[in-house]
Amino acid sequence: GIILAYLGKTGRSALNRYVYVGLGLAVAASLGVAVVFQAIGFDPENEIMEGTMLGVGGVFVASMVLWMARTAKNIKKAMESRLENIVGQDMGTTMGLGLLAFTFIMVFREGVETVIFLAALTQEEAGALQLLGAVVGLGIACLFAILFVRGSLRINLGRFFGVTGLVLLILAAKLLAGSVHEFAEIGAIPMRKEIMSILGYFVRDNTSTAIMTALVVLPIFMVLWDLGRRETAPTARSAAERRKQEAAALGERAWRLSLAGSAVLVAALMATAVFAGQGTLDPTPVPLEAANGDVAVAFSDLQEGQLHKFATRIDGTDVRFLVAKGKQGELYTAFDACEICGAVGYLQEGDKAICKNCNAPIPWDTLGQGGGCNPIRLEADSNDTHLVVHLEHLKAELARFQ
């Protein structure tokens, strides 16, 4: 937008085609990077990979905010100065290619960062709502640019970057918290129960989404406020000029309404996300008595796709354990406790166990692997009709439940 506005202001609109080519190549190259990311493939259950991606995304966001804080006031002047060095001599092909390269670099840098942001935010689950959010967000960005180039958008850029910078810092904190959380889940980083609870608040809780919604709405309404402060047009000297001014005003009003509608849509989607998502289920522990040194769970009592909890009283304390039955009938067992968060226990959300303290999502096929926030391993045997847990194995974790 700044480049096109500068070329129009200096009477060099004939060079716009180089800008559009550079823009198109940058978008295509950014999509190419996204394709490479997809082709490489990232295992959403690999905490090390997910934690690394979240950490890189958080650092990129924070560094971008710091860069904007230093350059926001002078970014337009600095870009125009560089553009003048490129196009200030003649209108030859060499100068056009320089303008194309300048546009490509400016846009491609942000495009790659966008790819990394989206990869970090949707690594675990890239569903329809995530795709819709990305499309709507990019669409509003394009609408913003069109308004800027047309001259219909007059906002205080310093204030705009200040408010959006605050939003992005919250996002960076969320990404970095998620990174630490992922590494702590597998015990790669030593962590206390209380800190994991705080990290879990940033990572998954709907209250975190509500805060993000409020922060994102701030810059949207700030833009709408500035859009309403349109400069008064000079008095028309003729009926033709008056009709022209009225047509221009109608056009600007239509653009404003489009942006306002998009803003309302984004706010509505984010508000919906606060209350959306899969419901959680906290199964009531079923008491089981030990017989002949064993605790037995009948296969007929286990339902596919559900997380079951059982409790056996030992020396006055209920020792709880989990049994999950997959869709193919496979069984997974673990204690209803972990090394970091203790015996707080787990909920069920879809085909995952969710820690009640830090919201760590644990896929069923990893139950019992132990370490970090993964449920503590519990060995179990089986016969033709029952899953059998030895009492001595339950006694090994008695102290954790006392």
Side-chain angles (χ1 to χ4, degrees), residues 128-252:
L129 283 179
Q130 288 86 344
L131 177 62
L132 180 61
V135 171
V136 171
L138 291 171
I140 291 180
C142 292
L143 181 60
F144 186 99
I146 292 173
L147 289 170
F148 187 90
V149 173
R150 287 168 55 92
S152 302
L153 184 62
R154 299 181 181 90
I155 65 171
N156 185 323
L157 286 178
R159 187 172 70 239
F160 176 79
F161 287 128
V163 174
T164 54
L166 172 63
V167 176
L168 289 174
L169 281 178
I170 298 296
L171 175 60
K174 182 177 175 67
L175 292 173
L176 292 173
S179 177
V180 175
H181 189 280
E182 291 298 322
F183 286 115
E185 275 187 38
I186 57 175
I189 297 178
M191 191 62 61
R192 293 175 57 86
K193 172 183 175 181
E194 294 77 14
I195 298 178
M196 282 296 285
S197 178
I198 296 174
L199 294 176
Y201 175 86
F202 278 98
V203 172
R204 291 183 60 86
D205 274 356
N206 284 343
T207 47
S208 173
T209 307
I211 293 174
M212 286 297 298
T213 301
L215 289 173
V216 169
V217 168
L218 279 177
I220 290 176
F221 282 101
M222 186 193 68
V223 170
L224 294 177
W225 175 268
D226 282 335
L227 284 175
R229 302 174 60 185
R230 184 168 60 91
E231 295 179 2
T232 304
T235 304
R237 297 181 179 180
S238 64
E241 288 184 1
R242 185 168 59 255
R243 288 193 296 271
K244 186 176 180 180
Q245 288 179 0
E246 291 174 353
L250 287 174
E252 288 190 15

Side-chain angles (χ1 to χ4, degrees), residues 217-300:
V217 168
L218 279 177
I220 290 176
F221 282 101
M222 186 193 68
V223 170
L224 294 177
W225 175 268
D226 282 335
L227 284 175
R229 302 174 60 185
R230 184 168 60 91
E231 295 179 2
T232 304
T235 304
R237 297 181 179 180
S238 64
E241 288 184 1
R242 185 168 59 255
R243 288 193 296 271
K244 186 176 180 180
Q245 288 179 0
E246 291 174 353
L250 287 174
E252 288 190 15
R253 190 176 299 115
W255 283 109
R256 290 194 181 99
L257 289 174
S258 298
L259 186 58
S262 301
V264 170
L265 176 61
V266 169
L269 286 173
M270 295 192 69
T272 302
V274 175
F275 304 101
Q278 291 181 306
T280 57
L281 173 66
D282 188 4
T284 301
V286 177
L288 294 176
E289 297 290 339
N292 299 321
D294 293 329
V295 175
V297 179
F299 291 147
S300 58

Side-chain angles (χ1 to χ4, degrees), residues 33-54:
V33 172
V35 170
V36 171
F37 267 70
Q38 187 72 17
I40 294 175
F42 293 97
D43 182 5
E45 311 304 346
N46 187 323
E47 287 85 354
I48 295 179
M49 187 178 297
E50 188 172 358
T52 301
M53 182 64 67
L54 289 170

Side-chain angles (χ1 to χ4, degrees), residues 323-359:
V323 179
K325 187 175 183 179
K327 295 181 180 180
Q328 305 300 323
E330 63 274 22
L331 296 178
Y332 306 100
T333 60
F335 284 97
D336 190 26
C338 73
E339 295 179 0
I340 297 178
C341 301
V344 176
Y346 294 83
L347 304 166
Q348 177 183 354
E349 183 180 284
D351 59 353
K352 295 178 181 178
I354 307 296
C355 177
K356 292 182 181 180
N357 180 63
C358 71
N359 292 304

